Amino acid sequence: MNCSDREQKRVRLKQFLKILSEDPSLRNQNGQKDMRPLSEILMVSGYRQCDDSIDMAQLLSLLLSKIGHASGSEDMMEYIMRGGKVEDFMSNDTSSRFQG
């Protein structure tokens, strides 16, 4: 991967995270305190960690699969980048929207 590709991915990720930070469906509106530790999330997902780093895209795809969602992290990112909301993505299987 050359520097230009890396920079494009970095910019796209930054945009995605900004959009996520502004998504009202992700706000802790009721003071919920049911955040799970990362170690538990890794165990539940079946993620196989090879070193000290965690591929968050792979982890998210595993979690989506665990709950029966046919879409993966790339589908979710594309959906969100096109103006969709996380809540809508989670309540609908959007994988068919990105095929073909």
Side-chain angles (χ1 to χ4, degrees):
M1 182 182 314
N2 65 38
C3 288
S4 178
D5 290 341
R6 280 189 185 151
E7 181 62 19
Q8 287 176 352
K9 283 188 172 196
R10 189 188 69 74
V11 167
R12 185 166 165 81
L13 178 60
K14 189 174 181 176
Q15 290 172 325
F16 174 66
L17 293 174
K18 181 174 181 359
I19 292 168
L20 284 181
S21 73
E22 296 168 351
D23 188 327
S25 68
L26 296 177
R27 292 199 182 117
N28 189 358
Q29 297 170 347
N30 297 328
Q32 297 172 337
K33 296 181 180 179
D34 60 348
M35 298 282 291
R36 305 281 187 221
L38 182 57
S39 58
E40 185 178 332
I41 293 170
L42 291 168
M43 186 179 68
V44 167
S45 71
Y47 184 86
R48 301 286 182 231
Q49 194 171 353
C50 296
D51 53 25
D52 290 337
S53 64
I54 297 170
D55 182 335
M56 295 305 285
Q58 181 184 8
L59 176 58
L60 179 57
S61 291
L62 287 168
L63 290 170
L64 288 168
S65 176
K66 266 299 198 207
I67 62 171
H69 218 287
S71 301
S73 61
E74 290 180 29
D75 297 321
M76 182 182 205
M77 186 173 186
E78 187 64 32
Y79 183 79
I80 301 302
M81 295 294 286
R82 290 184 179 186
K85 301 291 181 214
V86 173
E87 187 174 42
D88 297 334
F89 180 86
M90 295 306 295
S91 60
N92 299 306
D93 190 347
T94 57
S95 61
S96 61
R97 295 181 194 176
F98 300 106
Q99 310 234 340

